[in-house]
Amino acid sequence: MKIIMLGAPGAGKGTQAKRIAEKYSIPHISTGDIFRANIKNGTELGKKAKTYMDQGALVPDALTCDLVMDRIQQEDCKNGFVLDGFPRTIPQAEALDAALKNIGQTMDYAIDVDVPDENIVNRMGGRRACLNCGATYHITFHPTKEEGKCDACGSETVLRDDDKPETVQKRLEVYHAQTQPLIDYYKEQNILKTVDGTRPMDEVFEAIVAILGA
Ligand code: ADP
Ligand code: AMP
């Protein structure tokens, strides 16, 4: 099963992608997590990506596409994968389609987690991320057991630099200009499914399972 998660920043793509990965035993591939891991490890890619991420801009396709194409060809992806945060532009979607076509495959589902802009600012301001293991929390909707400490690994949880209100506004603009057109792109391919992302996390997941099959 090969799945794309679509939706605005903060819509809940990562939250749902992690659950999908666990239930269907497929890898969760988050380009944002890959970039953040590179930043943490001080790699060249990380240094380049950070300059764009801190401004709420997209990392150029040239730095993003090859990374994903390599990842989806690894052994653990042979039964499928869930992409979270990729593609984010039409050229990225075309690169993905072309790479899959080469191996005689196509994507199965593009799930749009639909959340209006007015809910997003609240979501992002309350998001807390563990920079060590990538777990995500929310101060109201999914708090850590101990304040400021990751339930999974015990490291500190932080407000991501790009979740500050001024950057969130910019990211939403970038989303509408560059990523939202993918909704029509996948509608035309007949693989678009939309779920109401304003519902509580468990209900969103139930809606997704109803689409993918139990
Ligand atoms: P994305 O991967 O789309 O950027 P996340 O999955 O990180 O979004 O979710 C953004 C924030 O909103 C997180 O703090 C997460 O805990 C919270 N969240 C996710 N889904 C829901 C939901 N259905 N209701 C309330 N809060 C949610
Ligand atoms: P995310 O963790 O998905 O919210 O991504 C955080 C940031 O990483 C984004 O705001 C972009 O700057 C960058 N990023 C992640 N995925 C992509 C992508 N597919 N294309 C371009 N930039 C990306």
Side-chain angles (χ1 to χ4, degrees), residues 8-15 123 127 136-138 141 197 199-201 204:
K13 300 181 297 295
T15 301
R123 287 269 182 101
R127 172 158 64 184
T136 302
Y137 303 91
H138 190 283
F141 305 122
R199 308 296 306 157
M201 292 173 205
V204 180

Side-chain angles (χ1 to χ4, degrees), residues 13-159:
K13 300 181 297 295
T15 301
Q16 299 301 329
K18 286 191 182 95
R19 293 187 180 196
I20 293 170
E22 196 180 332
K23 179 168 172 69
Y24 297 97
S25 303
I26 50 176
H28 166 211
I29 303 174
S30 156
T31 39
D33 283 353
I34 295 172
F35 290 136
R36 281 185 289 277
N38 274 274
I39 292 172
K40 189 165 168 251
N41 294 330
T43 69
E44 275 312 305
L45 173 65
K47 282 178 200 149
K48 286 185 191 148
K50 188 171 175 6
T51 60
Y52 299 96
M53 290 168 75
D54 283 352
Q55 294 169 33
L58 293 184
V59 178
D61 292 343
L63 293 178
T64 309
C65 287
D66 289 353
L67 178 91
V68 177
M69 301 320 143
D70 287 348
R71 180 66 189 88
I72 63 174
Q73 283 171 45
Q74 286 170 19
E75 184 60 21
D76 64 336
C77 290
K78 70 176 192 311
N79 292 327
F81 46 82
V82 52
L83 292 177
D84 161 18
F86 183 94
R88 261 181 158 101
T89 64
I90 296 278
Q92 289 182 10
E94 288 171 347
L96 176 64
D97 282 347
L100 288 173
K101 197 173 171 199
N102 270 338
I103 50 171
Q105 296 189 15
T106 54
M107 292 304 300
D108 299 310
Y109 298 98
I111 300 176
D112 180 30
V113 184
D114 187 28
V115 177
D117 286 10
E118 50 271 29
N119 301 40
I120 292 291
V121 181
N122 187 14
R123 287 269 182 101
M124 311 275 268
R127 172 158 64 184
R128 294 294 178 272
C130 173
L131 297 182
N132 181 47
C133 75
T136 302
Y137 303 91
H138 190 283
I139 51 174
T140 312
F141 305 122
H142 179 204
T144 49
K145 291 195 182 84
E146 199 179 323
E147 200 184 318
K149 218 174 186 190
C150 177
D151 292 352
C153 76
S155 297
E156 190 193 4
T157 57
V158 296
L159 176 69

Side-chain angles (χ1 to χ4, degrees), residues 143-200:
T144 49
K145 291 195 182 84
E146 199 179 323
E147 200 184 318
K149 218 174 186 190
C150 177
D151 292 352
C153 76
S155 297
E156 190 193 4
T157 57
V158 296
L159 176 69
R160 274 167 44 181
D161 283 343
D162 61 347
D163 280 352
K164 299 195 170 133
E166 56 280 15
T167 319
V168 169
Q169 205 49 51
K170 167 77 182 160
R171 292 171 71 195
L172 275 173
E173 283 165 26
V174 168
Y175 167 75
H176 289 299
Q178 300 198 56
T179 308
Q180 208 171 16
L182 293 175
I183 293 179
D184 282 339
Y185 182 92
Y186 290 113
K187 204 183 274 172
E188 276 164 30
Q189 291 193 2
N190 280 321
I191 61 167
L192 183 77
K193 305 283 175 187
T194 304
V195 293
D196 180 356
T198 65
R199 308 296 306 157

